[in-house]
Amino acid sequence: MLLLLLGIVILHIASLVLLFVSTIVNAWTTGSTSSSDLWNNCSTTNGGYHCEPANTGVWIQAVQALMILSIIFSFISLFLFFCQLFTLQKGGRFFLTGVFQILASLFVMSGAVIYTVMSPKWVPDSEAFGWAYIMAWVAFPLALISGLIYVILRKRE
Amino acid sequence: MLTILALASVVLLGIVPQQSEAIVIYTGWERHALVGSDIRLSCSFFSWRWTSDDVTFSWSYRADGARDAISIFHYTGGAPYLDNKGPFRDRLEFVGNPGRRDGSILLKNLDYGDNGTFTCDAKNPPDIVGRASSVRLLVFEKVPIQAGVITGSIIGAVLGLLLLIVVIYYLMRFLVARRVFNLSVSKHGKKGKGKEGSQQRQASPLVVDPSKLKAAASEKKKQESRKDKK
């Protein structure tokens, strides 16, 4: 029982860490001399390495908001899990925790989808998607599975 | 004791204005405007002295990329003097109130060439030591959405919705519980004594509706207990 609990918590925290890293690191698209992400476009030119804030388009701000919301919801879900662990009756389901985690996964998915669809506008064809972008896509099924486990799981002992 | 206090206050009153004699000028930091529109550049100051009759305001303009600034406005001796030779001739208007320490000017019909830094300098004799303050003007064809506005509004809207749902849920629970409580109290009262017929008739329309609510509440409780048993 304790092992199961530990495994679930580790899964949850892993998806949370993935979300964090993916939002923060500047590697959503990488080219030979430049990299850009949700917040900055950085490039190495002859002068050196300098960054400028991402253009203030409507869609990139939506992606920023969705990623931040998914992190917030994942945090709330972790907090609720610990709350429900101690207050739920025997045989009860961690329904609220699961709902929040599933919502977080949906937000990550929408953010990644919007970025993918709008990227031809922002990213020149010579550049490829970076690892932080891939992390966002990996975080989505992890969070979804974690949420579903919470919805199915029942409290014992 | 009182004399010492009086002496100390006199000394302090004498010292404090001497130290903080500098005048502090406030303008904006940056202004965005559309081509063809008007914009009001505000300038006000703070000074420990009363506003004197010889208060002066002067605005100067340094275009983006230019090396020196030209003077475009000066207010002195109670009269404003506007630019009549430079790039802002016939486009400036004085909309400030020197008596209220406001030296704002209005720029009309902006163009891309008006991008630059506007500096306001105010003097309130004898308070003349101070640093001029500058405001940067940016003229756009279309005012861009500032970074983070949409982000913040989406996050705020979703979290607000969440909060609203939580509040409504707890409110509904509270209301249902209160109605059940009221009903149980009234039913108790009705059973307690054989009251007069009028009172019974008054009570009956109240009983019919809450009975449905009570049935719903009891059904909910039955469902919950069934869930728990599972």
Side-chain angles (χ1 to χ4, degrees):
Chain A
M1 179 61 194
L2 203 63
L3 213 60
L4 182 68
L5 210 62
L6 207 64
I8 289 175
V9 169
I10 286 180
L11 182 66
H12 192 142
I13 292 183
S15 78
L16 189 62
V17 165
L18 276 181
L19 282 175
F20 245 122
V21 170
S22 154
T23 308
I24 293 175
V25 166
N26 186 348
W28 279 62
T29 67
T30 46
S32 50
T33 53
S34 69
S35 65
S36 73
D37 70 343
L38 305 177
W39 314 95
N40 277 326
N41 298 328
C42 296
S43 54
T44 16
T45 55
N46 294 337
Y49 185 74
H50 64 270
C51 295
E52 56 176 38
N55 50 351
T56 57
V58 172
W59 291 109
I60 189 104
Q61 295 194 21
V63 177
Q64 290 172 357
L66 284 171
M67 293 302 291
I68 291 180
L69 274 174
S70 75
I71 290 179
I72 291 176
F73 272 60
S74 199
F75 253 126
I76 293 179
S77 150
L78 191 67
F79 174 69
L80 278 175
F81 174 64
F82 284 115
C83 274
Q84 284 195 313
L85 196 62
F86 297 121
T87 63
L88 208 57
Q89 292 156 333
K90 181 171 168 177
R93 285 183 151 152
F94 294 90
F95 193 62
L96 216 55
T97 309
V99 161
F100 272 96
Q101 185 75 333
I102 290 178
L103 277 178
S105 79
L106 284 178
F107 284 141
V108 169
M109 184 193 74
S110 340
V113 162
I114 293 179
Y115 191 87
T116 313
V117 166
M118 302 303 293
S119 63
K121 261 202 222 168
W122 303 322
V123 174
D125 286 327
S126 61
E127 298 191 347
F129 287 116
W131 57 272
Y133 170 78
I134 295 176
M135 255 193 186
W137 274 113
V138 169
F140 155 59
L142 273 183
L144 192 64
I145 291 174
S146 167
L148 284 173
I149 289 181
Y150 282 127
V151 167
I152 296 174
L153 187 72
R154 284 184 195 285
K155 188 176 183 197
R156 277 171 245 159
E157 107 202 294
Chain B
M1 177 62 193
L2 271 173
T3 47
I4 296 177
L5 213 62
L7 271 172
S9 58
V10 165
V11 165
L12 276 173
L13 279 173
I15 287 181
V16 165
Q18 298 282 347
Q19 279 182 342
S20 43
E21 186 92 355
I23 190 173
V24 183
I25 303 177
Y26 303 106
T27 59
W29 183 253
E30 208 175 69
R31 289 273 177 272
H32 297 200
L34 286 172
V35 178
S37 68
D38 304 340
I39 190 163
R40 182 203 159 115
L41 298 172
S42 67
C43 176
S44 66
F45 66 88
F46 173 77
S47 162
W48 287 101
R49 302 279 183 177
W50 296 111
T51 312
S52 88
D53 295 327
D54 299 326
V55 66
T56 63
F57 288 96
S58 57
W59 281 92
S60 59
Y61 165 69
R62 184 168 64 83
D64 266 348
R67 219 170 24 146
D68 20 298
I70 61 171
S71 190
I72 58 170
F73 173 81
H74 193 69
Y75 177 94
T76 183
Y81 298 91
L82 306 166
D83 177 16
N84 53 4
K85 292 187 182 55
F88 293 102
R89 63 172 166 274
D90 302 330
R91 287 202 288 152
L92 268 182
E93 194 185 314
F94 179 57
V95 293
N97 189 347
R100 291 185 190 275
R101 304 182 168 186
D102 178 16
S104 312
I105 55 171
L106 181 73
L107 255 58
K108 295 190 252 205
N109 200 8
L110 289 168
D111 192 24
Y112 292 113
D114 297 331
N115 272 305
T117 312
F118 290 79
T119 309
C120 175
D121 196 9
K123 300 206 183 309
N124 184 27
D127 202 356
I128 57 156
V129 178
R131 185 199 296 218
S133 169
S134 307
V135 53
R136 210 160 150 203
L137 179 67
L138 293 161
V139 181
F140 294 101
E141 190 179 286
K142 196 174 62 151
V143 181
I145 305 171
Q146 288 207 307
V149 164
I150 296 183
T151 310
S153 56
I154 292 178
I155 294 178
V158 171
L159 289 179
L161 198 68
L162 189 69
L163 202 67
L164 197 70
I165 290 174
V166 166
V167 164
I168 288 180
Y169 171 71
Y170 276 111
L171 203 69
M172 296 307 290
R173 250 180 46 168
F174 173 69
L175 283 177
V176 167
R178 204 170 69 153
R179 271 220 171 152
V180 168
F181 176 70
N182 277 347
L183 168 68
S184 74
V185 164
S186 76
K187 228 186 167 186
H188 225 348
K190 202 176 129 185
K191 264 199 242 170
K193 276 200 191 243
K195 298 261 183 196
E196 295 86 39
S198 61
Q199 224 175 19
Q200 215 175 26
R201 253 177 272 135
Q202 271 176 5
S204 52
L206 275 173
V207 172
V208 173
D209 260 356
S211 70
K212 286 197 202 138
L213 259 173
K214 195 187 173 194
S218 61
E219 227 187 283
K220 210 170 152 193
K221 278 193 206 149
K222 270 195 234 155
Q223 272 183 355
E224 272 177 29
S225 61
R226 242 183 281 142
K227 255 203 224 168
D228 291 341
K229 276 195 213 142
K230 263 200 201 166

